[in-house]
Amino acid sequence: MITTFCHQLGYLRSSVPAVPPILRRTPSVVADTHILFSSKNRSIMPPTDNEDEPQVKESVIRLMTRLAMQYNAVNLSQGFPNEPPPRKVKLALAQAVLSGKDEGLLQYNHCDITEQELTDSLMNLLTKSSEDIVSDELNQYSPPMGRADARKAVSNYYSRLYHYKVSEDDITLTLGATEAVATALRTVGRPGDKVVIFEPFHELYSSQCEIFYLDPVYVTLKPNKESNEWDYHTDELKDAIKGAKAIILNTPHNPTGKCFDWNELKQVVDLCLQEEDCYIITDEIYEHMTYPDDNGTPRKHLLIPEVFPQAAHRTLVCNSLGKSASATGWRLGWCLHPPALSSLYRGVHDQLVAMAPHPMQYASLA
């Protein structure tokens, strides 16, 4: 029924499968298929009399969610995980909100804390009166770039999983990956700059380009029946990147499930480095949702600044715990930005949203 709604509203291309591969391969998460926008059908609101005004309105994804609820339909639009966040993290959030204090179990024992310890701490807090809690830090502002210990945790995450060293001074906690990408676009882009996007794509990419008066150009991913993969034409990519200010690279890709391999990423890196000032903005919220190919060979997500260190100064890595931790409502993401861009990125972030939610930052340490 949702697919029917999409076709009636004109948001789906008939050439794109109604049920993309990532959805068929996902065992426990309702994949974030969203709306399969394309350059041939990218208008997201009726034209206005003033062509200079950004063509932006409320998310079609949320519209489809409301329609699904209204008509009791299966919602293939918005990516609601099937499982809740880890219980320990939820307990840590409850403790942060109730205590309001940066002390105790989470401060001294981030990684080894047990659910029972958190439960006992919560029970103790629940027996106290409001007068016993004389100060509250965790329900108030954090530093705009995020708590130092939470940024250190992100740094440790990349060191542990990718053997990639990144200073917490070059990490900003954001209001989800959505804001991380928006801030990255505003940091490197100026009105009229060209931004390359692989299609089909998440609606936010083109919408954010509109908001910041950037000019999106598109490179089409097409199903290859022989390899059963999604491929692009090299010449199309080369033409698109000429004169571009940035390329948005969503890998693993929503909605196709494509993992860009080493050769493809090398081509993107080389083409961007050939340009005077072209940045790579990655959206990596599905980094742990990779699936074997038809031969059973595992696909592997590659971190560009680690695999291609020559491009680290041109790469902004955007990510979030929303999907991998089943906490889409927490709106806690981050961006790894080159040192030369850290001050500007944080300034844009500060003026856009001030900070990521402070209690969630603290609870994520559990």
Side-chain angles (χ1 to χ4, degrees), residues 28-288:
S28 60
V29 175
V30 178
D32 217 2
T33 58
H34 294 167
I35 307 301
L36 309 185
F37 285 88
S38 77
S39 57
K40 297 180 180 178
N41 187 22
R42 57 181 288 261
S43 176
I44 52 179
M45 71 177 295
T48 63
D49 294 335
N50 185 353
E51 293 182 357
D52 292 332
E53 292 183 3
Q55 303 295 297
V56 178
K57 70 175 197 176
E58 182 188 6
S59 165
V60 177
I61 294 170
R62 262 63 81 183
L63 168 64
M64 301 311 298
T65 293
R66 290 198 297 276
L67 288 173
M69 296 173 64
Q70 179 180 349
Y71 292 98
N72 195 29
V74 175
N75 185 0
L76 301 182
S77 173
Q78 193 165 3
F80 293 99
N82 287 349
E83 300 95 3
R87 177 176 170 82
K88 185 170 69 171
V89 177
K90 292 193 293 182
L91 290 170
L93 177 60
Q95 188 199 41
V97 172
L98 288 173
S99 71
K101 293 182 179 180
D102 178 12
E103 62 181 14
L105 296 173
L106 286 180
Q107 182 181 13
Y108 300 112
N109 202 6
H110 291 181
C111 297
D112 298 330
I113 188 171
T114 66
E115 289 186 14
Q116 188 58 54
E117 288 173 314
L118 281 169
T119 300
D120 293 342
S121 176
L122 279 172
M123 294 302 294
N124 181 53
L125 284 169
L126 289 170
T127 62
K128 292 182 178 181
S129 66
S130 58
E131 289 78 12
D132 294 329
I133 301 176
V134 295
S135 64
D136 188 315
E137 174 188 349
L138 298 180
N139 294 298
Q140 314 307 326
Y141 292 120
S142 75
M145 72 287 295
R147 294 176 56 88
D149 50 5
R151 288 184 286 113
K152 180 63 175 176
V154 173
S155 175
N156 292 340
Y157 170 84
Y158 283 95
S159 177
R160 185 175 71 253
L161 291 187
Y162 297 100
H163 306 290
Y164 179 65
K165 303 294 184 182
V166 55
S167 169
E168 55 266 35
D169 292 332
D170 300 318
I171 298 170
T172 297
L173 302 186
T174 62
L175 198 66
T178 298
E179 188 252 315
V181 173
T183 299
L185 285 171
R186 186 60 188 88
T187 296
V188 304
R190 299 296 178 268
D193 283 344
K194 182 164 72 167
V195 177
V196 180
I197 301 171
F198 284 99
E199 62 170 340
F201 53 87
H202 189 291
E203 64 170 344
L204 75 88
Y205 304 146
S206 59
S207 295
Q208 290 179 353
C209 285
E210 293 278 2
I211 290 171
F212 297 129
Y213 295 93
L214 302 170
D215 181 22
V217 296
Y218 301 91
V219 176
T220 305
L221 294 172
K222 298 179 180 179
N224 185 325
K225 294 182 179 180
E226 293 183 2
S227 65
N228 201 24
E229 298 287 348
W230 291 77
D231 298 329
Y232 59 85
H233 290 304
T234 298
D235 289 342
E236 185 180 4
L237 178 63
K238 289 180 178 179
D239 290 341
I241 288 183
K242 287 179 182 178
K245 190 67 175 182
I247 180 171
I248 299 176
L249 185 63
N250 175 211
T251 181
H253 183 261
N254 173 22
T256 66
K258 175 183 177 63
C259 260
F260 285 77
D261 62 27
W262 190 93
N263 291 324
E264 292 169 328
L265 295 179
K266 179 66 163 56
Q267 185 174 61
V268 169
V269 165
D270 288 345
L271 290 172
C272 288
L273 292 180
Q274 288 174 14
E275 298 297 316
E276 182 178 354
D277 204 20
C278 184
Y279 290 87
I280 304 168
I281 300 172
T282 69
D283 180 354
E284 305 188 5
I285 64 169
Y286 297 105
E287 63 178 326
H288 300 300

